[in-house]
Amino acid sequence: MPSVNMNRLFYILILLMSPLQGHSTLLEVGSDKDFRTIMEAVGLAGKGDTILIHSGLYREGSIDIRTPMVILGIDDPVIDGESTYEIMRIYADSVTVKGITFKDVGISYVEDRSAIRLIKSKHSVVESNKLVNAFFGIYLEHCRDILVRDNTIQGNARMESNSGNAIHLWYCKEIQIEGNYAEGHRDGIYLEFVDNSVVKDNTIKNNLRYGLHFMFSDNDLYLNNRFEHNGAGVAVMFSKYIQMEQNDFINNWGSSAYGLLLKEITDSEISNNRFTRNTTGIYAEGVNRTNIHHNDFSRNGWALNILGSCSDINVHGNNFLYNSFDVSTNSSRNYNTYDGNFWSDNTNAYDLDRDGVSDVPYRPVKLFSYMIGYMQSSTILMRSLLVDLVNYAEKVAPVITPHNLIDNKPLMRRIEHDRDSGIK
Amino acid sequence: MRKFIKYSFSDLVRSYWTIIYFLFFAIISSAILYFSADMTKSIVSIMNVVIVLIPLVSIIFSTIYYYNSREFTELLLAQPIKRSSLILGQYTGLALSLSLSFLAGVSIPFIAGGILASEHFLDFLLILLAGTCLSFSMSAIAYMTALRHENKILGFGISLFIWFFLAVLYDGLIMLLLVLFREYPTNSLAIVMTLLNPIDLSRVSIMLGLDISALMGYTGAVFLKFFGTMRGLPISLLSMLLWILVPAYFMVRIANKKDF
């Protein structure tokens, strides 16, 4: 075929498609505009139209969106749920919601009311919105290819039983959650059955339960997030192929508080994170084939608590700095490797051949950490001379601690990662 | 009594051993600061030195001092002075000089090392307080024991045993009790046992600042609540004070009855 015909075909195609694109109309909502209420504008909007919501307070119950459209807030309009309603429900694909403040979603014990709910939506964007005092914040169910970016979600949850999650995903795929700020909810970000998604650059603070909570979600990446002062840190459960990189886990304190709680995780990668001042840095239960490398664990109560149900965890190239306990476990057997880390407690290290690796191996597990597990009130004996003696005796001739839980190549100097922990 | 304190203090401050004690702390603190770049690590190390070595040195030094100055004491007692003020004066001068060596020896390197601007400044103050209290209480115990026993070896032995008991065996006893009563809530037992031992009390008070993250978990929170808040503080201080006052009282009683 000559190329001329191809060109003609192309123009015909363009012509055929033009009615589909239609005209994008601009519908303006405001006290002195064409539409007084958002509901009217939404009702009249066709496919791909843009609704501009000008500043003002809108009380319209629940707004349902069933056609693809763009909804933009101009000068910070506020949509009020009057502590009764779910505010916006999106059933259509390709909807953009941007620059709007949503406030006061009603609390319900029967349904999960939320500020913005997307149902079976694809290719939609929720961006730069402000959610104040929402029960659930942004709720995605059965969605695909959604971008949730730069939203600020501020709740005032007091009890786990009557609070919702800031960002809640259920049965979704290919979701991007980026640069959001979530505070004062039950979970900061909750993912259940969510695959191939990215959670990136979020700041998640002061939530009652977990900063981030993953259930049954595979092939996901969590990158460069900051989790601070959450009731119980971050939990990743029943998932595989998860990458956790460059996150900060800070000040997650409490009897059930973890920087990172891993339960039934396989084939995952935990690297370049910083765990600072958590009660437990990483708690691992039923974790298999997972690499933990190039992380900084500083000033945690327990840096790693790896239970006996874990195997093939490879801990290497990490810095363990001034934790009360570096590694603890409840089993006398060990199926994991701990080679090539830097341990600040390793005072016996020496390096005659000057290759940066200590000539004597190091046992990171102390007997006393077992003792605490066995009878918790013995915490009071921490740092006592007797405990040092007992630890030393166990170190010389291990009886209770796993004899092969050993770092054969402990490093002489701390590793300078790309990201410095700032702790000197 | 003030005169005795003055004499015994100025005698001791000029003595060879006090200077060595001062130098010991100065060198060890500098070494700790020099070898560990991290202030947390330095504080932990100096804490270990304080809670183990201060009691030991205080006990040995006080015992030696009493036995050495025994003849001079006898001579003084021939004068018309009160026994209690002589003994208490000697003891106070001794404890003061020990504390001063410790305070100066530790403070100078640490202040030069930048403790004032560090987040551990409060922990450091607590270490200074604990060290001073331990100096006072342990030298009181040693002085009392030495007064009680004319036989030097026996006096020494008993003092050393008291140190060994308080520093090591007592913790073993706590551990044993906690194991025996494992089926019961033993938090209060652990707290009470800690209050009854000055070395443990110092250790726990300092530890609270250092291992706060670990203590927030498990039952540690209970201890934190007791020792780390205003409720526990007066009780801790009272217990520490009793560990100074009670041996001092017995010291005076023994001295009054003693046939020199």
Side-chain angles (χ1 to χ4, degrees), chain A residues 254-255 277 279 299 301-302 322 324 344-345 371 374-377 379-386 424, chain B residues 38 41 44 47 119-120 168 171-172 175 179 182 186-187 194 203 207 211-216 218-219:
Chain A
S255 56
R277 290 175 72 93
T279 297
R299 305 195 60 194
W302 284 261
Y322 321 112
S324 297
S344 66
D345 279 353
M371 227 183 304
Y374 181 67
M375 41 178 185
Q376 299 182 347
S377 45
T379 322
I380 200 117
L381 294 173
M382 191 154 20
R383 298 197 188 285
S384 110
L385 186 57
L386 178 83
K424 283 280 176 274
Chain B
D38 180 87
K41 189 92 185 161
V44 169
M47 177 192 98
E119 56 172 327
H120 288 296
V168 184
D171 290 343
M175 203 183 280
V179 173
R182 203 164 82 83
T186 43
N187 292 337
T194 305
R203 177 176 55 77
M207 179 188 79
D211 293 290
I212 191 154
S213 340
L215 287 169
M216 289 306 288
Y218 300 128
T219 47

Side-chain angles (χ1 to χ4, degrees), chain A residues 183-419:
Chain A
E183 186 174 2
H185 282 263
R186 185 173 61 194
D187 287 347
I189 301 177
Y190 180 91
L191 292 85
E192 189 167 352
F193 306 108
V194 175
D195 299 339
N196 301 45
S197 296
V198 178
V199 178
K200 203 166 103 176
D201 305 331
N202 301 287
T203 302
I204 299 166
K205 258 183 175 173
N206 302 331
N207 294 289
L208 292 183
R209 199 169 61 181
Y210 302 121
L212 190 59
H213 191 177
F214 299 91
M215 304 284 286
F216 315 107
S217 300
D218 303 335
N219 294 306
D220 296 316
L221 166 68
Y222 320 131
L223 184 74
N224 199 21
N225 300 289
R226 188 181 170 91
F227 306 105
E228 201 173 335
H229 264 302
N230 295 297
V234 175
V236 184
M237 303 182 182
F238 306 100
S239 305
K240 49 195 174 194
Y241 308 112
I242 309 285
Q243 273 175 284
M244 301 166 225
E245 288 174 14
Q246 299 181 17
N247 300 293
D248 281 306
F249 303 85
I250 303 169
N251 288 345
N252 296 297
W253 281 357
S255 56
S256 59
Y258 311 100
L260 182 56
L261 164 66
L262 302 172
K263 190 172 166 62
E264 307 300 327
I265 304 295
T266 54
D267 302 294
S268 295
E269 201 80 17
I270 301 169
S271 65
N272 294 297
N273 300 289
R274 294 186 293 209
F275 297 85
T276 312
R277 290 175 72 93
N278 303 290
T279 297
T280 305
I282 297 183
Y283 174 92
E285 200 180 314
V287 175
N288 298 306
R289 296 188 299 277
T290 291
N291 290 322
I292 301 178
H293 60 95
H294 297 99
N295 302 289
D296 276 359
F297 297 88
S298 25
R299 305 195 60 194
N300 301 288
W302 284 261
L304 294 178
N305 190 357
I306 310 275
L307 299 195
S309 51
C310 300
S311 67
D312 300 307
I313 297 182
N314 189 357
V315 180
H316 62 95
N318 301 287
N319 285 324
F320 291 87
L321 308 167
Y322 321 112
N323 303 294
S324 297
F325 301 101
D326 286 333
V327 178
S328 81
T329 175
N330 62 348
S331 163
S332 58
R333 281 152 201 269
N334 171 48
Y335 303 102
N336 308 303
T337 56
Y338 293 87
D339 287 341
N341 299 286
F342 173 75
W343 314 86
S344 66
D345 279 353
N346 184 6
T347 43
N348 296 345
Y350 59 84
D351 183 20
L352 292 183
D353 52 7
R354 299 211 164 256
D355 59 352
V357 176
S358 169
D359 299 347
V360 281
Y362 176 66
R363 296 185 172 279
V365 178
K366 290 178 187 162
L367 179 62
F368 185 53
S369 67
Y370 270 82
M371 227 183 304
I372 289 189
Y374 181 67
M375 41 178 185
Q376 299 182 347
S377 45
S378 63
T379 322
I380 200 117
L381 294 173
M382 191 154 20
R383 298 197 188 285
S384 110
L385 186 57
L386 178 83
V387 164
D388 290 345
L389 291 175
V390 169
N391 280 341
Y392 185 74
E394 175 72 16
K395 202 155 129 189
V396 173
V399 180
I400 295 166
T401 53
H403 68 280
N404 64 341
L405 203 168
I406 200 163
D407 187 337
N408 291 303
K409 299 171 201 154
L411 302 178
M412 292 301 292
R413 274 169 221 291
R414 63 181 282 176
I415 306 157
E416 299 299 329
H417 304 312
D418 295 344
R419 284 154 42 95

